[in-house]
Amino acid sequence: LLSFLSERNNLAGVRHIVLVLSGKGGVGKSTISTELALSLRHSGKKVGILDVDLCGPSIPRMFKVQDNDVHQCDSGWVPVFVDQDKSISLMSIGFLLENPDDAVVWRGPKKNALIKQFVADVAWGDLDFLIVDTPPGTSDEHISTVEALRPYKPLGAILVTTPQAVSVGDVRRELTFCKKMGLRVLGVVENMSGFVCPHCSECTNIFSKGGGEELAKHAGVPFLGCVPLDPQLSQSLEEGRDFIQEFPKSSAFPALAHVAQQILDGASQQSS
């Protein structure tokens, strides 16, 4: 009963939960989760990111907070704040590893127990959105995450693909997973959709184009838009510059702002 009460309390102040999924690794789920959080913050929202990618927790590094420690409070773990005005908070297994090079070599039950603990024991406080960044695939970690969040009625899932047919095929399986788990699909985002030249700003389709839109149409779910690769944004992340400040100048920003607006519209419809 006590654990049930703590779960109720810790997510009670979270208005909307959005999962970011993909059947494939390397399509940029963590990047989209991070950039979506920044876009929502840009719209004046308070956002949390729960990074349940236990084997590849990359979000702490993206926000330059990988050396922070997680502290305990009466109601559980205190998330790490990434900015001065505490508008984005973050929880990740990356904060719990003694050494950043440690590998999480765990069997399923231990991973599942940590996911349940992440859902129950992080003291998020009041949030407009909690974005859940998941590992690739449709493994037991996904099932644990969706089941642990089900009592809190998530707004739904965003599926991330890249334009190529191979990626789209893997993401199609993720759509089946969502259907089986009764998880609403908010829509599909086609990431890495073209490369924006830093010199002339022309967008070149280095992969192919339109796979994500085709998939959304075929599955009868919304297509949320194409997000181009922006080398300047990647560079600011790699060089430890203030990615949060530079994000609005990025060529990917309008596309992400458009995705965020559709999520906001969906959330306001659910609330009304």
Side-chain angles (χ1 to χ4, degrees):
L1 180 67
L2 276 174
S3 125
F4 174 69
L5 286 173
S6 78
E7 281 185 45
R8 288 301 297 262
N9 295 345
N10 279 336
L11 282 170
V14 177
R15 293 179 62 200
H16 304 291
I17 299 170
V18 175
L19 290 92
V20 177
L21 302 172
S22 174
K24 189 168 184 59
V27 295
K29 281 183 301 300
S30 297
T31 305
I32 291 289
S33 298
T34 298
E35 293 173 345
L36 182 60
L38 286 171
S39 299
L40 289 165
R41 169 188 181 260
H42 216 80
S43 304
K45 302 299 175 191
K46 209 167 177 200
V47 189
I49 307 178
L50 175 58
D51 180 5
V52 293
D53 189 349
L54 303 184
C55 298
S58 48
I59 289 186
R61 188 187 160 134
M62 289 183 174
F63 283 112
K64 319 284 174 294
V65 290
Q66 67 269 36
D67 298 329
N68 288 41
D69 293 320
V70 167
H71 300 288
Q72 293 272 352
C73 67
D74 291 345
S75 48
W77 287 330
V78 182
V80 169
F81 293 101
V82 304
D83 53 353
Q84 298 283 212
D85 50 5
K86 297 192 171 183
S87 58
I88 297 183
S89 50
L90 177 55
M91 176 52 79
S92 167
I93 194 173
F95 299 130
L96 307 177
L97 300 174
E98 282 180 26
N99 179 339
D101 295 334
D102 286 350
V104 179
V105 187
W106 292 354
R107 291 188 187 276
K110 195 171 176 186
K111 288 181 179 175
N112 297 345
L114 180 70
I115 287 168
K116 286 188 181 120
Q117 198 176 354
F118 267 170
V119 170
D121 291 345
V122 180
W124 293 107
D126 290 332
L127 291 180
D128 295 302
F129 287 89
L130 176 62
I131 295 170
V132 183
D133 182 35
T134 64
T138 52
S139 61
D140 55 349
E141 284 131 278
H142 291 81
I143 298 168
S144 296
T145 304
V146 174
E147 285 181 345
L149 290 169
R150 186 169 279 138
Y152 310 104
K153 298 185 173 51
L155 186 63
I158 294 172
L159 269 51
V160 182
T161 184
T162 50
Q164 313 93 305
V166 172
S167 173
V168 168
D170 288 345
V171 178
R172 191 174 282 125
R173 285 186 274 280
E174 197 75 39
L175 278 160
T176 314
F177 169 80
C178 291
K179 201 173 273 181
K180 281 190 172 160
M181 295 299 290
L183 182 63
R184 178 181 164 210
V185 176
L186 297 171
V188 174
V189 172
E190 185 177 292
N191 193 28
M192 307 186 200
S193 185
F195 163 83
V196 179
C197 172
H199 308 294
C200 69
S201 299
E202 188 176 318
C203 190
T204 310
N205 297 313
I206 45 175
F207 298 127
S208 49
K209 191 169 171 51
E213 193 163 6
E214 195 64 32
L215 172 67
K217 200 192 295 180
H218 179 75
V221 298
F223 180 63
L224 300 175
C226 296
V227 178
L229 275 169
D230 182 354
Q232 287 172 313
L233 203 53
S234 310
Q235 211 174 345
S236 91
L237 270 170
E238 287 295 315
E239 292 174 2
R241 301 204 305 269
D242 194 345
F243 159 65
I244 298 181
Q245 292 302 313
E246 294 188 7
F247 176 63
K249 299 181 205 132
S250 158
S251 53
F253 179 71
L256 283 148
H258 178 63
V259 173
Q261 190 52 55
Q262 290 173 87
I263 303 302
L264 288 166
D265 293 347
S268 64
Q269 278 167 10
Q270 190 199 43
S271 304
S272 57

